[in-house]
Amino acid sequence: MAVMQQELTLGEAADQLARALPGHRVEILQGRLTVTPPPDGSHALSLSWLVVEFHAAGARKAGLRYVQGVGLWLPTLPEDFAIPDFSIVDKDFRDAHVTKNYYAPNVFRMVVEVTSSNWSDDLHVKVECYAQAGIPAYLIADRKHGEVLLYQDPADGKYPDPVRYKRGQTVPVPESVGVSLELAVDTLLDGDD
């Protein structure tokens, strides 16, 4: 009996993995397929806390929306996309739909990643991808190393060196985001109490 094999595109492989692994985050970064397991409790609490903080800071009244797990189309390679943990986007971000569940980078004001087992992608590959996409601010709650990094104002597809924040400090949300807010490093790393 002959077996027919069909080669899949990277996008098709990503779709199949996403269906086969519910709750996992499947992304294509710089032409590489990545899969991240579901978040742990502290990770989830950090993201929920961000919703509360941005709401209290008046993000909605400022014409912004805060979303979790919304796809960001990346201009690095044709099938590249990321799914940031948390994003601050323009109110009309849905008008910038590119394909599937991915939106154009120009509607993203800030993306936030809380590191998990794939912490290296957040600290390296995504820094490059988000800078090339022109994301104004990229905040990483680096649980592996116990610090928060803030990248901002990319130029020529690169971010300048990040500002690093340690436990006990607060991170000012950049003015380019559109709200005035200080985020506690400890809560970003550990989740809300």
Side-chain angles (χ1 to χ4, degrees), residues 87-120:
S87 302
I88 299 297
V89 295
D90 294 337
K91 177 182 179 179
D92 59 354
F93 78 97
R94 289 174 284 191
D95 294 341
H97 180 256
V98 176
T99 184
K100 298 184 183 180
N101 294 326
Y102 318 135
Y103 297 88
N106 64 298
V107 297
F108 287 76
R109 301 276 186 101
M110 181 171 85
V111 296
V112 178
E113 299 284 3
V114 177
T115 61
S116 298
S117 59
N118 66 332
W119 57 270
S120 182

Side-chain angles (χ1 to χ4, degrees), residues 123 127 136-140 149-153 159-163:
L123 295 175
V127 172
Y138 175 32
L139 183 77
I140 307 168
L149 292 83
L150 176 61
Y151 290 90
Q152 55 186 326
D153 304 322
Y159 285 116
D161 289 340
V163 179

